[in-house]
């Protein structure tokens, strides 16, 4: 009877150990599976991050190559947008602006007159200046000008016919002697009701030299 009980106890102990081993193996398998899943997730994240970085780098390099021969974003020459334009395209735009140019002259008494670019053979020849601007542009800095304006002012290369300009100015109504009034100072006038101050009259006589200088500017 004692041997039988000892044998049952041994079998019970063996059964318990077997179950513990099975449980440990099962837990170890779960841990291995969880680690495998985590490793796969980490690998996917790394691969995705690598793809994103590679894509951004590729875009950056492509845009750098593009802006090696084209103007940056938000680039203006004399107030004219040349964003993304090549040297040739920028010059064509500026030449077109020359043919479309109109100078509006605001005169006294709410009058206006216009000076049209084609009437004085106004031309823009900015080839040298535009070449220089593009040569000085660092294509690796293109990202900076997504958010910042890049403005240039060019005066070299602007030409016009001075004889035609003087003829056009001579035909302006504001320079017609018949239309000019000299300024008059304020003065005191005596009436039946007493004295009154008559306001000054600024007139509209143009100082030609100053006017001509402003037009050229």
């Amino acid at each position: 009877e004692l041997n039988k009980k000892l044998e049952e106890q041994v079998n019970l102990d063996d059964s318990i150990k077997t179950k513990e081993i099975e449980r440990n193996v099962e837990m170890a398998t779960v841990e291995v599976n969880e680690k495998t899943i985590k490793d796969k997730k980490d690998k996917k994240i790394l691969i995705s991050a690598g793809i994103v970085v590679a894509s951004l780098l590729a875009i950056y390099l492509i845009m750098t190559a593009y802006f090696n021969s084209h103007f940056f974003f938000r680039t203006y020459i004399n107030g004219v947008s040349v964003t993304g334009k090549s040297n040739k395209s920028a010059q064509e735009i500026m030449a077109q602006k020359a043919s479309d140019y109109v100078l509006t002259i605001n005169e006294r008494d709410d009058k206006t007159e216009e000076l049209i670019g084609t009437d004085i053979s106004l031309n823009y020849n900015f080839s040298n200046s535009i070449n220089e601007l593009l040569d000085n542009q660092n294509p690796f800095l293109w990202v900076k000008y997504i958010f910042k304006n890049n403005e240039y002012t060019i005066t070299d290369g602007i030409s016009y016919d001075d004889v035609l300009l003087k003829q056009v100015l001579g035909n302006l109504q504001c320079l017609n002697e018949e239309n000019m009034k000299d300024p008059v100072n304020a003065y005191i006038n005596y009436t039946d009701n007493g004295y009154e101050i008559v306001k000054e009259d600024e007139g509209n006589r143009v100082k030609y030299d100053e006017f001509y200088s402003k037009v050229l500017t």
Side-chain angles (χ1 to χ4, degrees):
E1 185 68 26
L2 181 59
N3 288 335
K4 184 180 179 181
K5 288 189 178 291
L6 287 172
E7 187 177 344
E8 288 176 354
Q9 183 65 40
V10 169
N11 290 336
L12 180 61
D13 291 342
D14 290 342
S15 176
I16 291 172
K17 287 180 180 179
T18 300
K19 287 182 178 179
E20 286 181 350
I21 291 171
E22 289 176 352
R23 189 167 63 83
N24 290 337
V25 169
E26 194 175 309
M27 290 179 65
T29 302
V30 171
E31 288 178 359
V32 170
N33 289 338
E34 288 178 349
K35 187 175 185 304
T36 303
I37 293 171
K38 184 176 183 300
D39 289 343
K40 286 182 178 179
K41 285 183 178 178
D42 291 343
K43 189 175 181 181
K44 285 182 179 179
I45 291 172
L46 288 174
I47 292 172
S48 298
I51 291 172
V52 170
V53 171
S55 299
L56 291 174
L57 181 60
I59 292 171
Y60 174 78
L61 293 176
I62 290 170
M63 296 301 286
T64 298
Y66 179 79
F67 286 118
N68 190 49
S69 57
H70 295 76
F71 283 105
F72 287 145
F73 299 112
R74 303 168 72 95
T75 297
Y76 300 86
I77 297 177
N78 293 359
V80 179
S81 175
V82 292
T83 293
K85 302 299 182 183
S86 64
N87 187 329
K88 182 180 179 181
S89 295
Q91 291 191 46
E92 289 174 352
I93 290 173
M94 299 305 294
Q96 181 62 39
K97 287 295 180 182
S99 65
D100 294 341
Y101 182 81
V102 175
L103 174 66
T104 300
I105 302 168
N106 296 312
E107 304 168 4
R108 294 229 169 116
D109 301 323
D110 296 325
K111 295 179 181 179
T112 61
E113 294 186 80
E114 291 183 341
L115 187 156
I116 301 172
T118 52
D119 290 345
I120 60 172
S121 297
L122 181 68
N123 286 302
Y124 292 171
N125 182 4
F126 293 149
S127 56
N128 292 333
S129 298
I130 290 177
N131 277 330
E132 186 177 345
L133 291 178
L134 274 177
D135 287 342
N136 292 335
Q137 181 175 275
N138 186 344
F140 292 97
L141 300 179
W142 64 266
V143 177
K144 175 181 178 182
Y145 292 97
I146 295 177
F147 311 101
K148 178 183 177 183
N149 283 356
N150 198 23
E151 299 182 4
Y152 301 106
T153 299
I154 298 176
T155 54
D156 293 338
I158 297 176
S159 63
Y160 60 93
D161 188 317
D162 189 57
V163 173
L164 289 177
L165 175 61
K166 288 178 179 177
Q167 287 178 358
V168 170
L169 294 182
N171 291 327
L172 293 175
Q173 291 300 310
C174 66
L175 292 178
N176 187 331
E177 188 67 32
E178 293 181 358
N179 298 325
M180 288 190 186
K181 294 188 299 181
D182 289 321
V184 178
N185 291 329
Y187 62 93
I188 296 175
N189 186 41
Y190 179 75
T191 67
D192 293 338
N193 297 322
Y195 293 98
E196 66 177 6
I197 297 177
V198 179
K199 292 183 63 176
E200 72 278 1
D201 184 349
E202 293 181 338
N204 61 4
R205 180 169 295 280
V206 177
K207 296 179 181 177
Y208 183 81
D209 290 341
E210 291 184 22
F211 174 69
Y212 184 71
S213 177
K214 294 290 185 182
V215 169
L216 293 185
T217 300

